Amino acid sequence: MRIRIALSATLAALGLMFLLPAAAHAHGDTLKVVVTGQRTGHVTADITWENDGDAVDETVAATVNAVSVDGSRTMGPWRLVRDPAAAPAGWTTAEALPPGTWKVSVEVGFPALGKGELEVGVPVVDPAPTTGAGTTATGTTDSATGGTPAVSAPTPASASASGSGSASDAAPAPSGTQAASGGEGAAVWWTTAGVAATALAGAGVGLLLRRRRMRGACRTP
């Protein structure tokens, strides 16, 4: 019984050994490389197996070279990386081509051989338009951008505050005048009363002296 089990396991292992190479070569030994163009200067390409058109699951070892149409400039060699914005067969470059027309060639060496070429045009991107002098919320030109600075008018609150402040500053003047006039009136009153009292006292003394003189004259024989 054990011998039969061992033989079955051996035959199964041998069968797997023969099937694995067949599965490995199911896609073929060549790759189809199609350079699809560029996206913001980054070269894009689709890489599939030549026989069945399946996408390549393995990491692709490829070099990308670009030559300007006049032959004065060359870019690369660059490598291809997975393109997350494309289908599973999409690949792209991390580097970007400058504006111009380029003859791009992609050569793949692993997991199989493949090559693709295309003339790619990278347009010139205009810079973002710059705005003029900035304006403030009130519609006046801001001084920081070279315009005329805005002049703010005084608010009613500040005007009323200044008015109330001036009124309060001027208020103590009448009270001081009244106090001064009151003091002068009191001094004049006391002076007049003193003069009147002195006059009355003098008149009384004079009457007393006159009466004494008259009594003395009557007593004399």
Side-chain angles (χ1 to χ4, degrees), residues 2-18:
R2 293 180 180 178
I3 297 174
R4 291 181 180 179
I5 295 174
L7 289 175
S8 299
T10 303
L11 292 175
L14 291 174
L16 289 175
M17 292 177 61
F18 285 106

Side-chain angles (χ1 to χ4, degrees), residues 15-28 51:
L16 289 175
M17 292 177 61
F18 285 106
L19 289 174
L20 286 176
H25 292 283
H27 295 298
N51 289 351

Side-chain angles (χ1 to χ4, degrees), residues 116-200:
E117 294 180 343
L118 183 69
E119 188 173 292
V120 175
V122 181
V124 177
V125 179
D126 295 333
T130 57
T131 59
T135 56
T136 60
T138 57
T140 57
T141 305
D142 190 2
S143 58
T145 56
T148 305
V151 179
S152 59
T155 59
S158 61
S160 61
S162 62
S164 61
S166 60
S168 61
D169 294 340
S175 62
T177 306
Q178 292 176 1
S181 61
E184 292 177 357
V188 171
W189 184 84
W190 282 108
T191 303
T192 305
V195 172
T198 304
L200 290 174

